[in-house]
Structure formats: C-alpha cells, structure tokens
Amino acid sequence: MRRLPRLLVINPNTSTGVSQVIDALVREEVAGAAQVQTVTADFGFSYISTRVAVTIAAHAVLDAAAKALAEGAKPDVIVLACFGDPGREALAEMTGLPVIGFAEAGLLAAAALPGTSLVSTNGTVWCEMLGELALKLGIGDRIAGIRSIEAVADDAQSIANFLAKEAKALGAERVVLGGAGLIPILPAVIATAGVPILDPHRIGIGKALRLAANPQPATTVAPAATTESLGLSPFLAQALSASSNTTAAGADRS
C-alpha cells in the first residue's frame, strides 16, 4: 500500500494559537489524504506586520524547517503558512523541496482567472509587500488594487461590505483575502460578500496536496563546502552544510 503524502506546515510567527488554527484548516482541507506536521517559529514575533518582522520570520522559517528535518521529518512538500511567504525561495533552496506559500498560490490562482482581482489583507506594509510579490510573479496587470482592512471593523459583515465596495470601485471580478488571523472568519466573509472571494489558504493547501501526491526527488542546491557560518543554530548550520545537503539530495524518501 502506498504511503500517505507528507506535508510540513510552518507558521512563521511565534503564536501557537495561530498554529493550531492553521493546523486545523490544513487537516480539514486534506481530509485524511496526507500526513500533516505543523511547526511554529521558535523566535521572532507573534504577529508579523513590518519588514523587520518579515525578515526575522524568514530566518525563523529556515530554522524551524531545519529543526523539523533534523528530528526526522521527511515531507514531500512544505507549506509556508503566511499570506506573504517570508523566506519561501530560501526555504526551497535549502531543502530542495516544493514550498507552497499562501500568497504566491492565491495570487497565481487569481491571475489565472478572467478579469482582474482585488487583493486584501490586514496591514498597510503587507499590502506594499504583496504588490511587490505580484510584480515579481509577473502578474501586476492582473491585480486591480491592494487594500488593507486594518481600518475596518473586526467583523465578517463589515469586512465583506468593504471588500464588495472596493472591488466594485476598481472593477475587480473577485477578491483574494488572506492572512492567518482571518482564517476563522473567512467563511463568514465569503458567505456574506457581494463579490466572489478566493481563500488563498485553502488554495495553497490544495496545491501542496496535489504536489505531495506525486513527489519528486529533492533538488537541493548545496552551498560551497568552504562556506562558513557563525552563530546559527546547530540545526540550521547542519542543514546548510554541504555534507548535509548531499545526504538530503540522495536520501530515500519512501
């Protein structure tokens, strides 16, 4: 009997409560079709809202992945559970595994649909970074606008009304609404909004599950053996070593 695919889910912030919400969503979405392990950043911030916090979170993500792998995790795919994907490319380089970020998955899914989309989250700085990500992905022309809900009342109906109004004003066909803190109320927002809303978290999880069901050999890009590091955790130092990467690239993932 073929084993179940394995997902490693990483919460880049330090909130175990948020990790529990994310873990519950992932398990609901995969419906028993994959093994799920969710880990939380050991350092950084409980809420990521600045570029400083994002940069630190990217380090924390690498450290969390390195620790999980050193402790025996053998994921087929890593889910970066943040609508902003801190450290996504570095994590893919370090592990040689597919890394699915909520933001990238949601934005690409929206861009594949007819018309343009409004992107929304909680935080002006996050909106700036999501705009930069859209340009990097080459889909800037598919985004009608990016709006923060930070000044909107913290209830589903108010958020839904705001998004519907903004989407109409921009001529957007739909809204991509992301942010781990919004996961609990997203179903209510979707149900009451007068505009289609895409859930990037579920989109990302679904994409990860499809990739995990057809795992590919790791393609780790190992740093040069002469590269030295200082002050990293033992787990991260090991993961970044050439010998560790060579072992990971040829490991039996069965």
Side-chain angles (χ1 to χ4, degrees):
M1 180 180 294
R2 186 178 179 183
R3 67 166 176 80
L4 288 177
R6 293 179 286 228
L7 302 182
L8 175 61
V9 182
I10 303 178
N11 173 19
N13 71 49
T14 60
S15 171
T16 55
V18 170
S19 292
Q20 291 170 1
V21 170
I22 293 168
D23 184 77
L25 180 71
V26 174
R27 292 179 186 277
E28 175 187 330
E29 195 68 14
V30 304
Q35 298 179 44
V36 178
Q37 178 184 357
T38 300
V39 298
T40 308
D42 282 335
F43 59 87
F45 299 86
S46 60
Y47 180 71
I48 302 169
S49 60
T50 66
R51 291 181 185 270
V52 170
V54 168
T55 300
I56 293 172
H59 180 184
V61 161
L62 296 176
D63 200 72
K67 182 179 180 181
L69 294 172
E71 292 178 344
K74 294 183 179 180
D76 298 301
V77 176
I78 298 176
V79 176
L80 186 47
C82 175
F83 191 60
D85 310 346
R88 179 181 57 80
E89 292 173 325
L91 185 57
E93 178 184 273
M94 184 183 79
T95 63
L97 295 168
V99 178
I100 305 303
F102 286 161
E104 183 193 38
L107 293 178
L108 289 177
L113 298 173
T116 60
S117 302
L118 167 65
V119 179
S120 185
T121 191
N122 188 13
T124 301
V125 176
W126 269 127
C127 288
E128 294 174 0
M129 291 187 285
L130 288 168
E132 293 162 7
L133 176 60
L135 292 176
K136 185 175 183 179
L137 294 173
I139 57 172
D141 61 332
R142 312 296 295 163
I143 306 299
I146 305 176
R147 299 288 185 270
S148 173
I149 60 169
E150 59 190 326
V152 181
D154 191 19
D155 66 88
Q157 189 62 66
S158 295
I159 293 172
N161 292 343
F162 171 79
L163 295 176
K165 179 181 177 182
E166 290 296 311
K168 182 178 180 180
L170 292 167
E173 298 292 332
R174 69 197 63 81
V175 177
V176 182
L177 177 61
L182 296 170
I183 288 174
I185 67 169
L186 244 176
V189 175
I190 292 171
T192 57
V195 61
I197 295 181
L198 300 185
D199 182 341
H201 319 100
R202 293 184 185 274
I203 290 171
I205 295 163
K207 183 176 182 178
L209 183 59
R210 291 191 296 274
L211 287 173
N214 296 283
Q216 301 297 315
T219 56
T220 303
V221 178
T226 56
T227 299
E228 297 181 358
S229 62
L230 178 65
L232 301 178
S233 73
F235 299 115
L236 188 51
Q238 178 185 2
L240 292 173
S241 70
S243 59
S244 175
N245 276 319
T246 299
T247 300
D252 180 4
R253 310 193 66 80
S254 62

